[in-house]
Amino acid sequence: MLELRNVESGYQLLQVLWDVTLHVDEGEFVALLGPNGAGKTTTLRTIAGLVQPIRGTVSFRGRSIGGLAPHQVSRMGIGYVSESLNLFPAMSVLENLLVGAYAVTDKTKIRANMDLVFELFPRLHERRDQLAGTLSGGERKMLAIGRGLMPSPSLLLVDEPSLGLAPIPTLAAFEALKQLSQRGMTILLVEQNVNTTLRLVDRAYVLEQGRIVLEGTGERLLADNHVQEAYLGI
Ligand code: ATP
């Protein structure tokens, strides 16, 4: 479904990604792991059209999407839930979800997606009229993921849902992603929480200093010596 081939990308004078090749198949739940500054967010931003690749190809369902603007990538069915969430604090939960559906004209679809979001996150339903700026950190993450689902993406890119969250809300966010995956959503998840993530996903890549250094099933990577030493403290 998604393929990056020999992608190099970065910011003006700083090249961050070097020869990154990865793929995500339809229905797969894949993680991109690695330390701070490895280039995980840059990889998602390159897929989402927020950063243009210097070299290499990014393709989605066989079509090259490198060079497309973010709104064009979004219309092709790629949703991006960024680390910074970008919610509208002075708008309610419901209004923020509707903003996520701005490009959807079919009211039935909006209703169905809203129902899905409230089913995954009953807490958001309870707080649907509350201002986003007054939600807890965990609820804000739920809202950002929910808003990402409103345009009916077929691939969801999720950047560090555990960032800044206590263990219980982190587990709730992971549980929601697992449920989404079980319903057939294709997910590419960026995380630093290696232990929990590898137990959750089908497959993962490890990115270090802008290069993919390992790839494998969650089970295989949990047993890998480098992963154990560098990320699990074993
Ligand atoms: P983290 O887990 O800490 O978010 P990451 O693996 O997601 O790290 P990136 O955010 O992709 O890493 O950053 C990779 C490198 O690119 C870092 O050295 C960072 O300082 C740099 N960088 C990120 N965004 C920009 C930007 N807008 N302009 C210039 N450099 C940037």
Side-chain angles (χ1 to χ4, degrees):
M1 187 182 222
L2 174 76
E3 186 176 39
L4 273 67
R5 205 163 262 281
N6 312 113
V7 168
E8 318 235 315
S9 182
Y11 309 91
Q12 291 169 336
L13 299 177
L14 179 73
Q15 181 166 343
V16 175
L17 301 182
W18 302 83
D19 203 24
V20 169
T21 293
L22 62 82
H23 70 275
V24 182
D25 293 336
E26 185 123 30
E28 252 194 325
F29 191 175
V30 176
L32 184 60
L33 306 167
N36 281 123
K40 304 179 298 297
T41 297
T42 304
T43 305
L44 294 192
R45 290 172 62 85
T46 303
I47 299 165
L50 293 155
V51 172
Q52 298 306 328
I54 307 162
R55 266 180 292 280
T57 55
V58 182
S59 50
F60 180 63
R61 296 200 148 132
R63 272 188 62 188
S64 169
I65 58 167
L68 292 187
H71 70 276
Q72 293 172 310
V73 174
S74 163
R75 287 219 176 109
M76 289 188 72
I78 300 181
Y80 176 42
V81 181
S82 79
E83 247 176 340
S84 52
L85 308 182
N86 297 324
L87 298 171
F88 293 98
M91 286 165 74
S92 70
V93 165
L94 210 56
E95 287 165 339
N96 269 279
L97 290 176
L98 289 172
V99 168
Y102 78 96
V104 185
T105 48
D106 181 347
K107 287 213 168 88
T108 322
K109 203 173 223 179
I110 296 177
R111 186 72 253 170
N113 288 343
M114 190 86 82
D115 288 346
L116 168 68
V117 172
F118 288 150
E119 203 184 315
L120 282 173
F121 303 111
R123 183 79 68 89
L124 290 183
H125 186 252
E126 285 164 26
R127 289 164 201 253
R128 60 193 178 280
D129 297 319
Q130 190 172 321
L131 298 184
T134 64
L135 295 174
S136 72
E139 291 161 355
R140 253 178 270 166
K141 295 275 158 110
M142 292 175 193
L143 181 53
I145 296 172
R147 194 187 50 184
L149 293 173
M150 290 303 291
S152 315
S154 39
L155 166 68
L156 197 62
L157 312 173
V158 187
D159 201 350
E160 279 201 61
S162 71
L163 189 77
L165 291 188
I168 290 175
T170 295
L171 286 180
F174 283 159
E175 182 54 36
L177 292 175
K178 188 170 152 193
Q179 276 192 42
L180 260 180
S181 160
Q182 284 167 348
R183 287 161 182 253
M185 176 67 73
T186 310
I187 303 174
L188 177 58
L189 168 69
V190 155
E191 256 304 328
Q192 285 207 44
N193 191 334
V194 174
N195 200 344
T196 314
T197 304
L198 286 179
R199 291 169 204 282
L200 189 72
V201 296
D202 300 315
R203 213 157 48 78
Y205 292 89
V206 179
L207 188 72
E208 291 179 359
Q209 296 179 9
R211 294 177 193 273
I212 302 283
V213 294
L214 276 172
E215 185 250 326
T217 60
E219 203 180 351
R220 193 181 89 69
L221 291 184
L222 276 168
D224 181 271
N225 282 343
H226 176 66
V227 171
Q228 292 192 347
E229 277 167 28
Y231 301 98
L232 304 176
I234 297 175

